[in-house]
Amino acid sequence: GAVVSQHPSRVICKSGTSVKIECRSLDFQATTMFWYRQFPKQSLMLMATSNEGSKATYEQGVEKDKFLINHASLTLSTLTVTSAHPEDSSFYICSARGRGASGSHNEQFFGPGTRLTVL
Amino acid sequence: GQNIDQPTEMTATEGAIVQINCTYQTSGFNGLFWYQQHAGEAPTFLSYNVLDGLEEKGRFSSFLSRSKGYSYLLLKELQMKDSASYLCAVRERRSLIFGKGTTLSVSS
């Protein structure tokens, strides 16, 4: 299968600061990237979908001004949590789909996730 | 609206067979996926069904009935390492919508 990396794996920040999470497709071109959030013992909730070179499409209830998504290239998408608050503490997972990825059925490949803790 | 239901928890013993059910009601359907997720890690792909019937892949099999909005994941010859959460996900158009997951505990 294809490989998706995320950085950082863990981040702790103070309330009010901004945090950037990077998601990279290492061996394929990610034409579409997805950002999910997962609270403890909950399912993955889709936050937004982004296509390379265009603006992200946000799910209902997700503030686009708070969660800035940039998909500037076919191998990189970033999620910036602006003015983070303790309730933003969660597990953020990116997923990618695209050209040149092995696997079947137009599969989505997931990154290892980023654990964000806001103090 | 969207609704994907699966049991919250299941327990089983090593060597046994377990079936995890998933029912769904979604506005669109473009395939059903099963993922395995260990605590603190990203989901890993297990299976995909888009047509009715059974897909077998080693110890894991997945079944789909589109008319009933129903799928199951069957795990055979359970091993301790199979203890994890199993997520049922439906593809609507281009995005995956996940159920809450079933936490499976395998004991010796």
Side-chain angles (χ1 to χ4, degrees), chain A residues 7 12 36 39 59 64-65 77 85 88 91-92 97 102-104:
Chain A
H7 177 81
I12 300 172
Y36 291 85
F39 292 106
E59 295 298 303
K64 62 181 180 181
D65 294 330
S77 176
H85 290 283
D88 298 325
F91 192 50
Y92 292 86
R97 189 172 69 212
S102 60
S104 60

Side-chain angles (χ1 to χ4, degrees), chain A residues 11-17 84-86 89 116-119:
Chain A
V11 58
I12 300 172
C13 69
K14 292 182 180 179
S15 185
T17 60
H85 290 283
S89 299
L116 171 63
T117 302
V118 185
L119 303 177

Side-chain angles (χ1 to χ4, degrees), chain B residues 40-75:
Chain B
E41 299 180 9
T44 55
F45 171 79
L46 290 179
S47 70
Y48 170 78
N49 296 71
V50 69
L51 299 176
D52 291 352
L54 187 68
E55 294 283 341
E56 296 185 81
K57 201 175 184 181
R59 293 189 299 116
F60 292 17
S61 303
S62 58
F63 171 83
L64 174 68
S65 169
R66 288 172 297 169
S67 62
K68 295 181 180 178
Y70 168 70
S71 173
Y72 68 72
L73 178 70
L74 193 71
L75 296 80

Side-chain angles (χ1 to χ4, degrees), chain A residues 105-117:
Chain A
H105 317 299
N106 213 8
E107 184 181 333
Q108 278 181 226
F109 299 93
F110 286 83
T114 297
R115 175 75 59 192
L116 171 63
T117 302

Side-chain angles (χ1 to χ4, degrees), chain A residues 32 38 43 97 105-106 111, chain B residues 37 42 45 48 91 94 98-99:
Chain A
T32 306
Q38 186 177 33
S43 186
R97 189 172 69 212
H105 317 299
N106 213 8
Chain B
Q37 186 181 26
F45 171 79
Y48 170 78
R91 171 169 288 154
R94 302 189 69 191
F98 283 85

Side-chain angles (χ1 to χ4, degrees), chain A residues 36-78:
Chain A
Y36 291 85
R37 180 169 53 184
Q38 186 177 33
F39 292 106
K41 296 188 178 181
Q42 297 294 314
S43 186
L44 279 75
M45 298 300 295
L46 180 65
M47 299 175 67
T49 302
S50 71
N51 294 299
E52 185 264 337
S54 61
K55 290 184 178 180
T57 302
Y58 290 79
E59 295 298 303
Q60 194 171 10
V62 178
E63 300 175 57
K64 62 181 180 181
D65 294 330
K66 181 171 181 62
F67 298 99
L68 303 178
I69 291 172
N70 186 297
H71 190 168
S73 77
L74 283 170
T75 59
L76 174 65
S77 176
T78 60

